Amino acid sequence: MQLNQRQKAIVDIVKENEPITGEKIAELLQLTRAALRSDLVVLTMLGVLDAKPKVGYFYIGHSEPSQEYNLFKEMHVSQIMGVPLTVHQNDSVHDVIVQIFMEDTGGGFVLDQDGYLVGLVSRKDLLKASIGGGDLTKLPIGVIMTRFPNITTVLEEELVLEAAEKLVTRQVDSLPVVRPGKDGRLKVVGKFSKTIITRLFLEIKE
Ligand code: ADP
């Protein structure tokens, strides 16, 4: 795997200054620690750098990607997707809010009467509806949802890396995992989210 310019700059800094903290690397590159986080994760997963808590980063420089990285690179969405909260387009906004609390989730996928995907709602959509001032027990979720086809979806057989890229480029928290029917309509079979991918990172590390 080719390192990008910034990753190469990080490696050079670590080689010269090891052990060095993430904060110090960020300072030398005049970037925020947050901006460097994903590069540092990639370099540690690739086995180029090693991180010791409270000490900092060391250069180890393995040219072969680590086993963890290979595992991650080949993983498919179906292997880690979660169970989605699905609601009906005629359900009231009030009922969907209650369901979101009961299921402890961040949003829901909205289905039509035949069980196909027609939209989705996130926390922000529900907050927006709530400050609108109407009667939330009478307002159907179908009125406020982000509507199909303006929805970014992912297929079960897509790579986790591709799905993660969609989350980042579209700036959303979750994607419906879908299975297309013969008529082009989509059945929801799962959910892919930032929480799920964060959990995967921890599991791989363990
Ligand atoms: P939050 O509301 O917590 O910021 P998101 O960033 O996921 O959560 O949602 C922001 C906006 O993007 C909302 O209007 C939501 O309906 C929409 N949205 C969320 N997920 C998707 C998706 N997969 N495809 C298209 N739009 C989405």
Side-chain angles (χ1 to χ4, degrees):
M1 181 178 149
Q2 283 281 26
L3 300 187
N4 67 30
Q5 283 306 104
R6 190 147 82 190
Q7 289 161 354
K8 284 183 190 151
I10 295 172
V11 171
D12 289 341
I13 288 175
V14 176
K15 273 186 190 166
E16 271 183 32
N17 303 282
E18 63 183 3
I20 178 169
T21 62
E23 283 75 22
K24 192 79 194 143
I25 301 172
E27 200 183 304
L28 290 172
L29 286 172
Q30 298 185 321
L31 290 167
T32 62
R33 177 80 176 79
L36 284 191
R37 194 160 294 133
S38 57
D39 287 321
L40 288 169
V41 169
V42 169
L43 289 169
T44 355
M45 286 192 84
L46 283 172
V48 177
L49 301 184
D50 189 17
K52 292 213 168 67
K54 299 209 173 100
V55 182
Y57 289 91
F58 292 86
Y59 176 72
I60 34 179
H62 289 166
S63 53
E64 285 301 304
S66 66
Q67 222 180 342
E68 290 98 328
Y69 185 73
N70 281 334
L71 196 75
F72 175 67
K73 215 174 55 178
E74 280 154 24
M75 207 166 250
H76 294 267
V77 166
S78 58
Q79 293 174 267
I80 61 161
M81 67 189 188
V83 179
L85 168 66
T86 55
V87 299
H88 190 268
Q89 59 183 346
N90 295 332
D91 291 348
S92 72
V93 171
H94 174 272
D95 286 352
V96 174
I97 293 175
V98 171
Q99 284 197 60
I100 282 178
F101 273 104
M102 283 185 352
E103 305 269 333
D104 192 16
T105 184
F109 302 142
V110 186
L111 309 181
D112 66 11
Q113 59 285 357
D114 303 322
Y116 289 101
L117 179 69
V118 283
L120 58 77
V121 283
S122 73
R123 295 183 185 95
K124 224 176 286 161
D125 300 322
L126 297 167
L127 284 173
K128 212 191 297 167
S130 308
I131 58 173
D135 182 352
L136 298 184
T137 60
K138 300 224 164 60
L139 181 62
I141 200 73
V143 174
I144 67 143
M145 68 188 181
T146 298
R147 197 167 287 278
F148 187 80
N150 300 323
I151 293 188
T152 308
T153 57
V154 69
L155 301 169
E156 291 159 276
E157 57 270 27
E158 278 185 71
L159 289 173
V160 166
L161 271 178
E162 292 169 329
E165 198 174 352
K166 286 186 184 180
L167 284 178
V168 173
T169 52
R170 307 291 163 97
Q171 299 187 332
V172 293
D173 290 348
S174 69
L175 306 172
V177 183
V178 295
R179 204 175 285 163
K182 285 196 188 76
D183 50 6
R185 294 200 289 174
L186 303 173
K187 280 274 182 200
V188 176
V189 293
K191 167 180 164 172
F192 185 86
S193 68
K194 287 182 179 169
T195 310
I196 289 172
I197 201 157
T198 310
R199 204 175 298 135
L200 173 68
F201 261 104
L202 287 180
E203 279 169 15
I204 288 178
K205 222 44 212 155
E206 274 161 21

